[in-house]
Amino acid sequence: MIDFDKISKIKNKSQLNKFNIDKPIFLSNYLHHYLIMTNNLTGLKLSRFPIHKENNEGLQGFHMSAKLSNETNNYDILNYLIEEYPEYANNINYFNESFLDMLDINDK
């Protein structure tokens, strides 16, 4: 069972080290997917994650962050990923989509 509450409260290396960042936890979701889902930017800043890895829905870190940014209107994690992982910003998933395809177009 995935403890979303525990993942959402990761704030230091000691808490982070209780998880394996290089192996999927459930349905090909890695820890970074769950940190993005729970909007835990503090936890994401604690280590380098394999954000280029896709989950079972074809979502890499950038894709998931863009999708959630649309839903929450909060772009903090997406901005962080662009700044810290620019080498993966142009990656496409197995549906041939980039993270830009996940963003709604608006005046902002």
Side-chain angles (χ1 to χ4, degrees):
M1 179 160 194
I2 302 157
D3 191 342
F4 285 100
D5 188 52
K6 191 176 192 179
I7 292 171
S8 71
K9 293 178 181 173
I10 293 174
K11 304 288 184 223
N12 59 53
K13 287 271 193 179
S14 174
Q15 294 169 321
L16 180 69
N17 289 337
K18 294 178 182 174
F19 297 90
N20 186 335
I21 66 172
D22 295 316
K23 292 188 178 178
I25 297 173
F26 183 68
L27 294 176
S28 299
N29 282 304
Y30 289 75
L31 180 60
H32 67 273
H33 289 110
Y34 293 114
L35 290 169
I36 293 168
M37 281 184 219
T38 60
N39 200 30
N40 187 345
L41 181 57
T42 302
L44 279 170
K45 290 181 177 182
L46 294 173
S47 184
R48 291 282 297 173
F49 291 90
I51 61 151
H52 61 283
K53 302 274 186 165
E54 294 181 15
N55 67 8
N56 67 326
E57 296 176 330
L59 300 175
Q60 302 168 14
F62 276 94
H63 294 89
M64 182 169 283
S65 180
K67 186 176 175 182
L68 286 160
S69 293
N70 286 331
E71 296 170 6
T72 63
N73 205 27
N74 180 338
Y75 296 85
D76 293 344
I77 290 179
L78 183 58
N79 288 331
Y80 170 76
L81 293 180
I82 291 169
E83 185 178 310
E84 293 297 317
Y85 298 90
E87 66 273 23
Y88 300 121
N90 294 321
N91 283 9
I92 57 172
N93 64 8
Y94 62 75
F95 297 116
N96 204 31
E97 300 166 321
S98 76
F99 82 91
L100 296 173
D101 293 314
M102 306 289 170
L103 291 172
D104 289 335
I105 298 175
N106 61 43
D107 293 338
K108 295 179 185 176

